[in-house]
Amino acid sequence: MNYRECAEQIIKEQYESGLRFYKTEKMKEYFLQKRKKYKYFCIFGGGVLGTTLCNWLRKHGIRTDFFCDNNPDKIGTMISEVPFIDFSRLCAIKEETFIMVSATNKGAGRRYNDEINRQLNEFPHKMPNVLKFIAFYTNDYHLSYEECLNGAGRIMDALADEQSKSLFLELLKLKFIDSPEPVLDNPLERFYEPVQYFNTAYYKHADNAVIADCGAYNGDSLRQFIQLFQDDFKGYHCFEMDRDAYLELERCRAKMAPELQNKIALYPFGVFSEKGTAYYNASTDTLGSSISINGKKEVQLAVLDEILENEEVTMIKMDIEDSELPALVGAGKLIQKNHPILAVSIYHSTQQFFKVPLYILDNFPFYRLYMGLHTTVTDDTVLYAVPIQ
């Protein structure tokens, strides 16, 4: 298979039709027609995906009546003012309800989406996954046809293994979707990897490891690192700009043994290309806070080259809501000096999906590039840059 030709063909066939779909309200119309047809709208799965869908529907004037979830602790609670009902109540109204299944395997190693669809086997009206919606939600057309065409070819040539190349092809198709109709069989299922960032296919651990965790959130990736490697590392630097998440991060560290706490540094900063003050919007429902000119909360920005200038950083992880590219610019000296493994999220926008790999290719030629997927939708797509030995 000529992977480059396949990638370029996807752009040639889908870019224009995807752009037309993106500029129209076809996705909104799809849900409006369903809303008119059924008495109730129910999202099955009360995680990030379901919350994102619910909020998007509300923004477009489309009401969600219920959430349903197999976690009994959620029954009777609410997300975005929408109540959780138990499965028995959902069964009682199944003929009148359109159900949207919003689950992924993230972090658990279980095929939750498949399990829920089996549970709903006798329910006549459902959308079996939210793959296309999530892809549409994170897409943009800030890059021209020529930029996408040339970028796709270069990235494909640079990817170092067939798994990464095949994943890139499937993700490309979802960058230029031209129909709202959901896919029955999710093509991303086979690429799912439960261990994110520290997967041994890309991450090579050593006892002198110094990690820069940009977008440390509440310590979830820190906890995963400790679970995998215990106290066998030199330093772990956490950057988190969201105040609420930072407080959780502090509590996370405080629960650890003193010898671990002494190795973990916390910074209440956003990571960027230059120091300064910025504003951000906190999105507690969807676990992401992003820098915005219309942001409501103030945050200080830090530059990795300055903060970690004297550290021999062995890995940089970034999941910072579409600020990854400027953060990489601000880490250029650190990367040139130390050749750390890079694990950079590239799923927040189509522009990021192309520009981050190309920036690394153009500025740091001492890396091999890989792609990993850590959900069963387009979220948590990570570009891994592994230094050539």
Side-chain angles (χ1 to χ4, degrees), residues 55-67:
N55 290 341
W56 184 88
L57 290 171
R58 171 179 291 170
K59 178 181 176 181
H60 291 83
I62 304 170
R63 185 183 76 257
T64 301
D65 298 290
F66 311 113
F67 279 97

Side-chain angles (χ1 to χ4, degrees), residues 11 114 147 152 167 200 221 281 298-299 346 348 379:
I11 308 296
D114 290 350
E147 287 174 310
L167 172 59
T200 55
S221 48
N281 287 316
E298 186 176 286
V299 65
I346 56 170
H348 300 102
D379 279 13

Side-chain angles (χ1 to χ4, degrees), residues 25-96:
E25 294 195 329
K26 296 296 185 182
M27 185 64 77
K28 175 184 174 181
E29 289 176 10
Y30 170 81
F31 285 105
L32 279 173
Q33 290 302 315
K34 296 294 184 182
R35 180 72 266 190
K36 291 176 183 177
K37 188 174 181 180
Y38 301 105
K39 184 176 181 179
Y40 302 113
F41 252 32
C42 178
I43 299 174
F44 202 119
V48 173
L49 304 184
T51 304
T52 300
L53 174 58
C54 178
N55 290 341
W56 184 88
L57 290 171
R58 171 179 291 170
K59 178 181 176 181
H60 291 83
I62 304 170
R63 185 183 76 257
T64 301
D65 298 290
F66 311 113
F67 279 97
C68 189
D69 200 282
N70 288 321
N71 181 351
D73 294 336
K74 292 186 176 181
I75 307 307
T77 65
M78 302 182 82
I79 289 181
S80 299
E81 302 178 0
V82 177
F84 277 88
I85 62 173
D86 61 28
F87 185 63
S88 62
R89 184 176 173 192
L90 185 60
C91 289
I93 56 173
K94 66 181 180 182
E95 299 295 335
E96 305 170 285

Side-chain angles (χ1 to χ4, degrees), residues 98-145:
F98 181 65
I99 302 174
M100 298 154 281
V101 180
S102 65
T104 182
N105 299 345
K106 182 172 172 58
R110 289 174 59 184
R111 300 173 67 91
Y112 284 123
N113 214 94
D114 290 350
E115 291 176 19
I116 293 170
N117 274 292
R118 286 194 293 271
Q119 184 179 354
L120 299 174
N121 185 52
E122 296 183 2
F123 282 65
H125 318 298
K126 59 179 180 286
M127 186 171 73
N129 59 68
V130 292
L131 172 62
K132 271 200 175 180
F133 167 76
I134 294 297
F136 170 81
Y137 181 79
T138 56
N139 285 353
D140 62 61
Y141 277 79
H142 295 151
L143 297 181
S144 67
Y145 169 82

